[in-house]
Amino acid sequence: MNRAVARLRQEALGLALLAVALVFNAVHLLGEARVSALPLNDDVFHAVASQRLGEAIAAGEPFLDPWLADWGLGFPVWRSYQPLPHLVAAPFVVSASAERKNVVFARVA
Protein backbone atom coordinates (compact mmCIF):
# COMPACT_ATOMS: atom_id res chain seq x y z
CA MET A 1 0.00 0.00 0.00
CA ASN A 2 2.81 2.40 0.82
CA ARG A 3 4.34 1.78 -2.59
CA ALA A 4 1.07 2.72 -4.32
CA VAL A 5 0.71 5.91 -2.28
CA ALA A 6 4.32 6.86 -2.99
CA ARG A 7 3.81 6.31 -6.71
CA LEU A 8 0.59 8.34 -6.67
CA ARG A 9 2.39 11.23 -4.96
CA GLN A 10 5.17 10.98 -7.52
CA GLU A 11 2.68 11.08 -10.41
CA ALA A 12 0.31 13.67 -8.88
CA LEU A 13 1.70 16.64 -10.81
CA GLY A 14 1.48 14.80 -14.12
CA LEU A 15 -2.05 13.62 -13.39
CA ALA A 16 -3.10 17.14 -12.39
CA LEU A 17 -1.69 18.58 -15.62
CA LEU A 18 -3.47 15.88 -17.61
CA ALA A 19 -6.76 16.68 -15.86
CA VAL A 20 -6.33 20.41 -16.56
CA ALA A 21 -5.65 19.71 -20.25
CA LEU A 22 -8.68 17.43 -20.55
CA VAL A 23 -11.02 19.91 -18.86
CA PHE A 24 -9.66 22.79 -20.95
CA ASN A 25 -10.23 20.88 -24.20
CA ALA A 26 -13.67 19.68 -23.13
CA VAL A 27 -14.81 23.22 -22.33
CA HIS A 28 -13.42 24.77 -25.51
CA LEU A 29 -14.54 21.99 -27.85
CA LEU A 30 -18.08 21.79 -26.48
CA GLY A 31 -19.31 24.07 -29.26
CA GLU A 32 -18.02 21.62 -31.87
CA ALA A 33 -20.15 18.84 -30.43
CA ARG A 34 -23.28 20.99 -30.54
CA VAL A 35 -23.08 21.81 -34.27
CA SER A 36 -25.45 19.58 -36.22
CA ALA A 37 -24.13 20.34 -39.73
CA LEU A 38 -21.24 18.55 -41.37
CA PRO A 39 -18.07 20.62 -41.66
CA LEU A 40 -16.81 21.23 -45.19
CA ASN A 41 -13.74 19.03 -45.09
CA ASP A 42 -13.17 15.27 -45.35
CA ASP A 43 -16.31 14.53 -43.34
CA VAL A 44 -18.46 15.17 -46.41
CA PHE A 45 -16.49 12.56 -48.35
CA HIS A 46 -16.71 10.09 -45.48
CA ALA A 47 -20.48 10.61 -45.14
CA VAL A 48 -21.01 9.87 -48.83
CA ALA A 49 -18.59 6.93 -48.72
CA SER A 50 -20.36 5.42 -45.70
CA GLN A 51 -23.74 5.83 -47.35
CA ARG A 52 -22.53 4.27 -50.62
CA LEU A 53 -20.90 1.32 -48.85
CA GLY A 54 -24.07 0.68 -46.84
CA GLU A 55 -26.19 0.75 -49.99
CA ALA A 56 -23.76 -1.57 -51.77
CA ILE A 57 -23.80 -4.10 -48.94
CA ALA A 58 -27.61 -3.97 -48.81
CA ALA A 59 -27.74 -4.58 -52.58
CA GLY A 60 -25.35 -7.55 -52.31
CA GLU A 61 -22.52 -5.97 -54.29
CA PRO A 62 -18.97 -7.32 -53.75
CA PHE A 63 -17.40 -5.81 -50.65
CA LEU A 64 -14.43 -3.92 -52.16
CA ASP A 65 -15.99 -3.06 -55.53
CA PRO A 66 -18.59 -0.34 -54.88
CA TRP A 67 -17.98 2.55 -57.24
CA LEU A 68 -17.97 5.96 -55.55
CA ALA A 69 -19.09 8.23 -58.40
CA ASP A 70 -18.96 11.40 -56.27
CA TRP A 71 -15.17 11.39 -56.14
CA GLY A 72 -13.61 12.67 -59.36
CA LEU A 73 -14.90 10.59 -62.25
CA GLY A 74 -15.50 7.70 -59.90
CA PHE A 75 -13.21 5.35 -58.06
CA PRO A 76 -13.41 2.00 -56.22
CA VAL A 77 -12.31 3.67 -52.97
CA TRP A 78 -12.08 0.59 -50.74
CA ARG A 79 -9.43 -1.08 -52.84
CA SER A 80 -6.97 1.60 -51.71
CA TYR A 81 -8.57 3.12 -48.60
CA GLN A 82 -9.46 1.54 -45.27
CA PRO A 83 -13.14 0.42 -45.21
CA LEU A 84 -13.56 -0.26 -41.47
CA PRO A 85 -14.69 3.26 -40.42
CA HIS A 86 -17.19 3.33 -43.27
CA LEU A 87 -18.47 -0.13 -42.31
CA VAL A 88 -19.08 1.06 -38.76
CA ALA A 89 -20.90 4.24 -39.86
CA ALA A 90 -22.79 2.75 -42.82
CA PRO A 91 -25.74 1.19 -40.90
CA PHE A 92 -26.37 4.46 -39.05
CA VAL A 93 -26.17 6.64 -42.16
CA VAL A 94 -28.26 4.36 -44.38
CA SER A 95 -30.98 3.84 -41.78
CA ALA A 96 -31.31 7.56 -40.96
CA SER A 97 -34.03 9.65 -42.55
CA ALA A 98 -32.99 12.22 -45.15
CA GLU A 99 -33.30 15.14 -42.71
CA ARG A 100 -31.23 13.45 -40.03
CA LYS A 101 -28.33 12.00 -42.08
CA ASN A 102 -25.95 14.88 -41.36
CA VAL A 103 -26.68 14.81 -37.65
CA VAL A 104 -26.36 11.02 -37.43
CA PHE A 105 -23.03 11.02 -39.25
CA ALA A 106 -21.72 13.92 -37.18
CA ARG A 107 -22.54 12.01 -33.99
CA VAL A 108 -20.98 8.75 -35.29
CA ALA A 109 -17.83 10.49 -36.47
Side-chain angles (χ1 to χ4, degrees):
M1 183 70 177
N2 289 336
R3 184 177 277 180
V5 172
R7 181 170 175 127
L8 185 59
R9 284 184 186 159
Q10 191 177 27
E11 300 290 334
L13 179 61
L15 292 173
L17 289 174
L18 176 63
V20 168
L22 291 174
V23 169
F24 178 84
N25 284 320
V27 168
H28 289 288
L29 294 175
L30 187 60
E32 293 286 330
R34 291 182 181 171
V35 174
S36 63
L38 285 175
L40 296 176
N41 58 19
D42 284 351
D43 290 348
V44 175
F45 163 74
H46 292 296
V48 172
S50 296
Q51 181 179 3
R52 176 65 184 109
L53 187 59
E55 292 168 354
I57 291 172
E61 295 179 29
F63 174 65
L64 294 177
D65 286 342
W67 193 259
L68 189 60
D70 297 328
W71 195 24
L73 295 174
F75 189 73
V77 173
W78 297 281
R79 289 186 180 215
S80 60
Y81 195 81
Q82 63 270 20
L84 184 61
H86 300 119
L87 280 173
V88 171
F92 298 104
V93 174
V94 171
S95 66
S97 64
E99 314 79 56
R100 301 286 299 166
K101 281 192 185 200
N102 291 344
V103 175
V104 167
F105 183 75
R107 297 296 180 233
V108 170

